[in-house]
Amino acid sequence: MFSCNCNNSCVGLSVIASIIIGVIAAFLRITAAITVTPAFLWVLFGIAVVYLAVVLIVASSLRGGGSCTCICRILPAVLTGILGTVLGSVILLAITFAATSIVGAIITGALLFFFALLITATACLITCITGCNDKN
């Protein structure tokens, strides 16, 4: 049984960092500085699906194991990142956009926003579970 305290600023910082990454990615896509290949999209899709499976297993194993309210605060951000990454990659795989398409740039920015949110919120979740942000 474990107990942990949660610092909500971690999730806020992860959202801000993800927004910055998403805006930069959209700008780079609209200027044709980067291209998004199908292989990259499949990799992001695979990572998100594996994350979903891992979160399911970990959440079900921790459910009765303790009283950590920070997991319930961070988990929606992780799930939003997972579902947004899956949806964004499926849309970009299904529809071919021109290199300098505004709609393609917006969807690419959103995809990388959700992927960055997935990664940073997972870092917050790990910090919460390990108790590294506990104030002793």
Side-chain angles (χ1 to χ4, degrees):
M1 189 168 233
F2 65 92
S3 175
C4 65
N5 297 321
C6 186
N7 186 357
N8 280 338
S9 66
C10 184
V11 175
L13 289 174
S14 68
V15 169
I16 291 170
S18 300
I19 289 172
I20 292 169
I21 290 171
V23 169
I24 290 171
F27 177 74
L28 291 175
R29 172 77 190 262
I30 196 71
T31 59
I34 62 171
T35 59
V36 179
T37 63
F40 176 72
L41 296 173
W42 280 111
V43 167
L44 290 184
F45 180 81
I47 289 171
V49 169
V50 169
Y51 260 85
L52 187 60
V54 169
V55 166
L56 173 67
I57 293 168
V58 170
S60 65
S61 67
L62 290 177
R63 178 71 178 138
S67 60
C68 186
T69 59
C70 64
I71 293 175
C72 293
R73 293 182 195 147
I74 297 172
L75 205 53
V78 174
L79 292 175
T80 301
I82 290 170
L83 296 177
T85 302
V86 168
L87 181 64
S89 61
V90 166
I91 289 172
L92 287 172
L93 281 168
I95 303 170
T96 304
F97 293 101
T100 57
S101 167
I102 293 174
V103 175
I106 291 171
I107 295 174
T108 301
L111 171 66
L112 290 177
F113 160 75
F114 286 121
F115 186 69
L117 181 65
L118 169 63
I119 300 299
T120 55
T122 302
C124 293
L125 187 62
I126 291 169
T127 303
C128 171
I129 290 173
T130 59
C132 290
N133 62 351
D134 288 346
K135 306 290 184 201
N136 290 333

